Amino acid sequence: MKLGILRERAPGETRVAAIPDTVAAYIKLGHAVVGEQAAGMAAGFSDQRYITAGAEIRDAVALLNQCDVVLSVQRPGQEVIDHLRSGTVLIGLLQPFIYPELAVTLAARGVTSVSLDAVPRIARAQSMDALSSQSTVAGYKAVLLAANALPRFFPLLMTAAGVIPPARVLVIGAGVAGLGAIGTARRLGAIVRAYDTRPAVKEQVESLGATFVELTLQQEKREDTAGYATALAADVEAQERALLSEQIRESDIVITTAQVPGQRAPVLVPRSAVEAMLPGSVIVDLAAETGGNCEVSVPGEVTQHHGVTIIALKNIPAMVPLHASQLYAQNVFHLVRHLYSKGELDLDFTDEITRSVCITHAGEVCHPTVQALLREKQAAAAVNGEGAHRD
Ligand code: NAD
């Protein structure tokens, strides 16, 4: 089998789907690899390093013409889609639950598409879990972005000119990104508190040297059987917001990462809480992609509100391109090895991992969630169409 590594075309994307080390690993498994010219350049990997690892370098059209499997980070744009051949396997972070229409286009072209953002969070799939690996990067970088924007030190400093107290950091949501942020903020010497609706994470928070904030909320069920957070009822979320406001006011930095899978991010930092923070304070809202945890965040932007800097950037892993690519490339490698465990593509739909990641195959959209999203969109379009007709 021949694998192709695409150069990313999305603005600001610096990551790459395979690095020289994983190229060598694919070749060791008996596959051939073609890299697009300059595919890894923005992440720090020259074409020469890919060639040394055993890859050929070609332009995009030649690569798409000859490769059986095409590896990418982001979903492809039209210029790539137009050259995808029937039977090609496309593997990337395709965001099928946000852009289900792409699945229709890929199915029509006969492309088998596999999305890493659909990898189930089960122990067996951990090595393929790109959302987690990229969240680790985002949690780390969020703290550095905050430290850079903060007009004060992080650690306690005892100098001849006086004592400087440590910065106070509050992390809301202690999942993968939140724990990454806690660890980084602690290493920089801040006093860190963290809150999550799942009491199960208290121990992990404390093991990183942070204090777990306990809030008494009137809702017992806060996680499902798989350990994911469940949404809070509206009145309980309002109660949470009110209780958190005091913690927010006392913080120099707030990093928010709260998410419930498949839902809009809960708004946990209301405008009033931002306005109660000291000028110069910083909020990093990692949930920007799903609407944001902070009421005044502008997704994709860095803004100021009442002297508080609010960082709601969307593709933070691309700001650490070398290691973000290294981790992502490993995730892709493990997924390819899983799908090609018999040497050729083996889509066993009784397997939970395969069933979860495969979005299109044999000319059809085969993922039930994507099918349901498309049906919903069709129904909404039909209703709108009827309305327009009546008008
Ligand atoms: P995760 O599922 O591991 O963690 C989310 C945490 O939020 C969970 O521990 C959950 O219990 C908690 N939570 C849910 N509702 C809550 C509430 N009401 N109050 C407090 N905590 C609550 O997710 P993750 O992988 O850590 O990702 C976190 C967020 O970071 C996601 O929104 C993800 O899209 C985002 N992210 C952003 C970037 C970026 O570049 N901006 C990069 C990676 C991840």
Side-chain angles (χ1 to χ4, degrees), residues 11 38 47 109-110 134 183 209 226 265 280 289 355-356 374 391:
D47 285 353
R109 291 196 75 86
Q134 302 307 295
E289 190 88 55
R355 197 172 56 237
S356 304
L374 288 167
D391 291 338

Side-chain angles (χ1 to χ4, degrees), residues 121 131-132 134-136 138 172-178 195-198 201 222 227-230 232 237 240 244 256-261 265-266 268 285-290 293 312-317:
R121 271 190 174 168
L131 287 187
S132 288
Q134 302 307 295
S135 283
T136 301
I172 303 177
V176 181
Y195 171 70
D196 196 294
T197 42
R198 292 178 304 126
V201 298
R222 301 194 210 149
Y228 280 115
T230 47
L232 297 178
E237 200 173 287
E240 180 188 6
L244 276 177
T256 67
T257 78
Q259 76 155 359
V260 174
L268 302 174
D285 187 349
L286 281 184
E289 190 88 55
T290 46
N293 292 139
L313 299 176
K314 284 187 180 173
N315 189 359
I316 291 176

Side-chain angles (χ1 to χ4, degrees), residues 8-266:
E8 296 299 313
R9 285 156 171 79
E13 185 53 81
T14 53
R15 295 169 291 174
V16 61
I19 64 167
D21 281 354
T22 56
V23 167
Y26 287 121
I27 289 172
K28 206 167 161 198
L29 287 180
H31 305 305
V33 182
V34 180
E36 185 181 347
Q37 286 155 352
M41 203 60 96
F45 303 105
S46 66
D47 285 353
Q48 188 52 50
R49 288 186 63 188
Y50 285 93
I51 293 168
T52 306
E56 294 170 50
I57 301 294
R58 295 280 179 269
D59 64 22
V61 175
L63 179 151
L64 293 166
N65 262 328
Q66 55 181 276
C67 288
D68 312 296
V69 180
V70 173
L71 308 179
S72 71
V73 178
Q74 299 226 13
R75 63 188 196 287
Q78 202 58 44
E79 56 184 312
V80 169
I81 292 174
D82 285 344
H83 293 280
L84 283 171
R85 290 173 306 127
S86 174
T88 301
V89 178
L90 172 69
I91 302 181
L93 286 166
L94 307 178
Q95 297 184 289
F97 310 130
I98 302 179
Y99 305 100
E101 297 84 359
L102 175 63
V104 178
T105 308
L106 294 173
R109 291 196 75 86
V111 172
T112 294
S113 59
V114 171
S115 193
L116 279 108
D117 31 18
V119 168
R121 271 190 174 168
I122 55 175
R124 202 161 55 85
Q126 260 176 12
S127 61
M128 309 164 205
D129 187 350
L131 287 187
S132 288
S133 74
Q134 302 307 295
S135 283
T136 301
V137 178
Y140 160 83
K141 190 66 180 180
V143 175
L144 300 191
L145 288 170
N148 234 357
L150 195 72
R152 51 175 298 150
F153 282 120
F154 252 55
L156 167 78
L157 286 181
M158 297 205 196
T159 78
V163 175
I164 293 175
R168 294 154 303 172
V169 174
L170 174 67
V171 176
I172 303 177
V176 181
L179 292 172
I182 294 168
T184 307
R186 285 291 302 140
R187 285 193 286 275
L188 285 179
I191 292 179
V192 184
R193 287 166 304 147
Y195 171 70
D196 196 294
T197 42
R198 292 178 304 126
V201 298
K202 177 177 193 278
E203 210 176 305
Q204 292 168 38
V205 166
E206 289 175 348
S207 73
L208 291 169
T211 306
F212 188 73
V213 175
E214 314 246 10
L215 303 182
T216 310
L217 296 182
Q218 289 150 351
Q219 181 168 319
E220 285 295 316
K221 189 174 178 333
R222 301 194 210 149
E223 66 181 36
D224 60 20
T225 48
Y228 280 115
T230 47
L232 297 178
D235 57 331
V236 181
E237 200 173 287
Q239 185 196 9
E240 180 188 6
R241 253 193 312 273
L243 291 170
L244 276 177
S245 286
E246 197 174 318
Q247 305 285 337
I248 294 167
R249 185 162 39 89
E250 290 170 0
S251 304
D252 303 303
I253 292 175
V254 175
I255 296 177
T256 67
T257 78
Q259 76 155 359
V260 174
Q263 302 205 12
R264 192 215 179 277

Side-chain angles (χ1 to χ4, degrees), residues 256 264 266-277 283 285 288 291-312:
T256 67
R264 192 215 179 277
V267 177
L268 302 174
V269 184
R271 180 183 296 268
S272 57
V274 179
E275 293 174 358
M277 291 178 85
I283 297 171
D285 187 349
N293 292 139
C294 172
E295 189 179 354
V296 295
S297 287
V298 181
E301 306 279 332
V302 178
T303 53
Q304 297 278 332
H305 185 81
H306 265 243
V308 176
T309 303
I310 298 138
I311 301 172

